[in-house]
Amino acid sequence: MRCLVTGATGYIGGRLVPALLEAGHRVRCLARTPRKLRDYPWADRVEVVQGDVADAASVRAALADMDVAYYLVHALGTGRGFEQTDRRSARIFGEQARTAGLRRIVYLGGLTPAGVPDRELSPHLRSRAEVGRILLDSGVPTAVLRAAVVIGSGSASFEILRHLTERLPVMVTPSWVRTSIQPVAVRDVVRYLVGSASLPADVNRTFDIGGPDVMTYRDMMQRYARVAGLPHRVILPVPVLTPGLSSHWIGLVTPVPRSIARPLAESLRNEVVCREQDITRYVPDPPGGPIDFDQALRLALQRIKDARVDTRWSSAAVPGAPSDPLPTDPDWSGGSLYRDERELTVPVAPDALWRVIEGIGGENGWYSFPLAWAVRGWLDRFVGGVGLRRGRRDAQRLRVGDSLDFWRVEEIVPGRLLRLRAEMRLPGPAWLELSVGRDEEGRTVYGQRALFHPRGLLGHAYWWSVWPFHSVVFGGMARNITAAARAAPQRTAPWRSSQNGRPS
């Protein structure tokens, strides 16, 4: 069938697309920034169109000639009005789907507790439930799959569980660690999504999806410790940790920022257990049944160990991140643009220098003044930003759209250029470019350029307040990157490689 996937740059969407292709379907992806999909291993097998679910015209064009549409987007984290944004986008999508004569909509929402009125749900779950109802009432047969905690390498739920358990042998926790949860492996989520494309035309309903295990979050942490080979954890639940305090606590210990941690924490206040498993009537379980919790953990940990994490919770762009024109764009609108530019000649082959550049960030760090970078990351977390601990999806390879600590890969030309856009909280957009070139004598040249476009007086004050540290931070970065290239073994590395395989 012809399938439209919205949210293809996100955690689930990025895993669903190759699964649909493997099942023999044709895929079109709707993306606000199509080039973010350019470096995905399946990019040349799909059609990518530009648009936004909040824009009726682009939705209409994207739905043309499609059979099935996957609605995998939400406005969570865009501010207090995210429920209104979700509501408006869902209505637009439903109306355009009906007009286009679409056969089916498939939506992945959140599992809501039984018997709890909407007004008592967290805003996150309440909005997910409302979007599901809007799509069900659209006049297009819709399958709303409702999942609780998704376990897989790179998922926000898994990263929270992993970092809390690994970093805190003794922990004081919110009372919701005693709440019953039914987690589900991401492989099973993708399997249910793919299978839902072929549901009978008269099916228009919600389906609860979950794994075979029902447990508390406390049980999940202890079982993670056992699977990961860690000692038994001492967990002390207390009633005074509100969802707000819990999100600060999660943000302090894990890479997941408060803006994402809070809705996840709020969603765990109530029991989230499947009330039915009717989806198996239409999408049968494999011979061994759905993946259990321990096996899901083992699969996720193995993918991390093998550096084969296909998508991460940070795959989607940070809401509210700058989207101004690049300083290199021909139509750059002018105004103040501060620069810090450095260039060094390096007595190594270009590919040796490029390997160091492409490996920057994450465990390898930023090659200068680690304390300054750490402090900047902590300050960013303190004001609600993403901080420095998002790390990398892959230890060696980058692709457009990857998150890289508190940067995002905006452009990559293998062997030549890496451009990063800042996603930390700043009074103006900022970029960092690292490049490899040659001079007139054929020598390898390392280029480094930091750019900042200040907004208002605060932006100018920010630049000049940090300017005295540039020689240490940016100067040290240039010297240390080139030194690392000189010290590295000289060999030719493939700049383009990708790992294909099932999501875990």
Side-chain angles (χ1 to χ4, degrees):
M1 287 182 283
R2 296 163 296 181
C3 302
L4 174 71
V5 177
T6 66
T9 59
Y11 178 70
I12 295 293
R15 299 183 181 220
L16 173 63
V17 170
L20 288 170
L21 292 171
E22 186 179 348
H25 300 303
R26 293 166 54 192
V27 178
R28 175 185 293 166
C29 299
L30 175 65
R32 285 178 293 184
T33 310
R35 64 189 185 83
K36 287 185 178 180
L37 295 172
R38 185 192 70 190
D39 296 331
Y40 280 68
W42 39 260
D44 60 348
R45 300 170 59 198
V46 304
E47 178 189 0
V48 181
V49 297
Q50 184 172 16
D52 192 311
V53 292
D55 175 61
S58 62
V59 171
R60 186 182 313 118
L63 287 169
D65 302 320
M66 292 290 104
D67 299 314
V68 178
Y70 288 89
Y71 195 80
L72 304 175
V73 295
H74 59 78
L76 183 66
T78 57
R80 294 183 178 180
F82 82 90
E83 290 183 82
Q84 290 83 355
T85 302
D86 274 341
R87 184 181 306 120
R88 183 175 66 254
S89 299
R91 286 174 177 164
I92 289 172
F93 198 85
E95 290 166 1
Q96 295 303 319
R98 183 177 65 252
T99 302
L102 196 72
R103 292 190 197 176
R104 173 160 301 283
I105 296 172
V106 182
Y107 170 61
L108 179 62
L111 189 59
T112 54
V116 177
D118 282 359
R119 64 179 180 276
E120 295 181 16
L121 295 174
S122 69
H124 165 60
L125 279 184
R126 185 170 61 237
S127 180
R128 291 294 185 95
E130 183 183 22
V131 167
R133 289 194 298 270
I134 291 171
L135 296 176
L136 287 167
D137 294 339
S138 67
V140 177
T142 297
V144 175
L145 307 187
R146 309 192 310 169
V149 173
V150 177
I151 300 297
S153 59
S155 78
S157 298
F158 175 76
E159 289 298 300
I160 290 174
L161 175 67
R162 178 164 77 102
H163 283 84
L164 288 179
T165 310
E166 290 184 352
R167 294 179 174 178
L168 299 175
V170 179
M171 62 187 98
V172 175
T173 62
S175 56
W176 51 251
V177 297
R178 300 192 184 103
T179 303
S180 293
I181 307 166
Q182 191 166 353
V184 58
V186 68
R187 291 195 187 196
D188 284 325
V189 173
V190 172
R191 179 172 59 81
Y192 289 135
L193 287 169
V194 173
S196 295
S198 304
L199 290 173
D202 61 346
V203 174
N204 185 64
R205 56 165 290 185
T206 65
F207 292 97
D208 293 352
I209 59 173
D213 301 288
V214 176
M215 65 195 79
T216 66
Y217 204 89
R218 182 174 185 168
D219 295 334
M220 289 170 63
M221 288 190 283
Q222 297 293 12
R223 287 173 68 169
Y224 178 93
R226 185 168 65 248
V227 170
L230 302 171
H232 184 82
R233 274 21 198 169
V234 178
I235 301 170
L236 307 172
V238 296
V240 295
L241 286 177
T242 64
L245 289 173
S246 298
S247 64
H248 281 285
W249 169 68
I250 292 171
L252 182 68
V253 178
T254 80
V256 179
R258 189 168 69 242
S259 59
I260 295 176
R262 175 155 189 160
L264 293 176
E266 288 178 332
S267 301
L268 297 174
R269 291 182 302 181
N270 303 107
E271 183 177 277
V272 277
V273 175
C274 296
R275 299 192 290 276
E276 43 84 10
Q277 295 281 352
D278 295 348
I279 188 69
T280 57
R281 290 163 45 194
Y282 306 100
V283 186
D285 288 331
I291 298 169
D292 64 34
F293 180 71
D294 289 359
Q295 179 64 3
L297 293 179
R298 284 190 286 269
L299 289 168
L301 289 170
Q302 188 61 48
R303 297 285 279 204
I304 292 171
K305 180 181 178 182
D306 295 342
R308 296 178 60 210
V309 180
D310 297 322
T311 60
R312 300 179 70 226
W313 61 271
S314 55
S315 298
V318 173
S323 56
D324 303 59
L326 297 176
T328 50
D329 285 351
D331 59 349
W332 174 250
S333 57
S336 298
L337 183 65
Y338 291 118
R339 295 176 172 87
D340 183 287
E341 298 182 271
R342 299 172 191 270
E343 196 172 273
L344 291 174
T345 302
V346 197
V348 299
D351 65 280
L353 178 57
W354 177 252
R355 282 197 300 273
V356 178
I357 289 174
E358 193 175 11
I360 200 167
E363 295 296 323
N364 292 328
W366 292 89
Y367 292 94
S368 72
F369 204 177
L371 179 60
W373 286 94
V375 169
R376 186 63 184 86
W378 280 108
L379 289 174
D380 195 54
R381 300 280 285 196
F382 181 75
V383 297
V386 296
L388 192 64
R389 293 181 304 183
R390 289 191 301 183
R392 304 170 49 110
R393 177 191 58 83
D394 186 291
Q396 296 179 322
R397 308 287 176 233
L398 292 174
R399 64 191 184 199
V400 169
D402 272 0
S403 61
L404 183 59
D405 292 326
F406 47 38
W407 305 89
R408 178 135 343 235
V409 178
E410 186 167 82
E411 183 57 271
I412 183 167
V413 181
R416 293 176 51 198
L417 173 71
L418 173 63
R419 180 188 296 131
L420 308 174
R421 183 190 286 269
E423 289 190 334
M424 73 279 281
R425 298 294 180 93
L426 289 172
W431 298 264
L432 177 63
E433 286 188 346
L434 311 177
S435 63
V436 179
R438 287 187 182 274
D439 62 13
E440 294 179 355
E441 299 177 20
R443 296 176 300 183
T444 301
V445 176
Y446 169 73
Q448 178 180 296
R449 188 167 71 140
L451 304 112
F452 178 65
H453 181 48
R455 288 196 179 127
L457 181 60
L458 182 60
H460 291 277
Y462 172 81
W463 175 266
W464 291 112
S465 69
V466 299
W467 180 80
F469 303 101
H470 282 189
S471 61
V472 176
V473 175
F474 291 128
M477 175 185 288
R479 291 189 298 271
N480 292 331
I481 285 177
T482 54
R486 290 195 299 270
Q490 301 298 296
R491 59 183 177 84
T492 300
W495 294 330
R496 291 277 182 181
S497 68
S498 60
Q499 300 279 2
N500 286 305
R502 297 179 63 197
S504 65

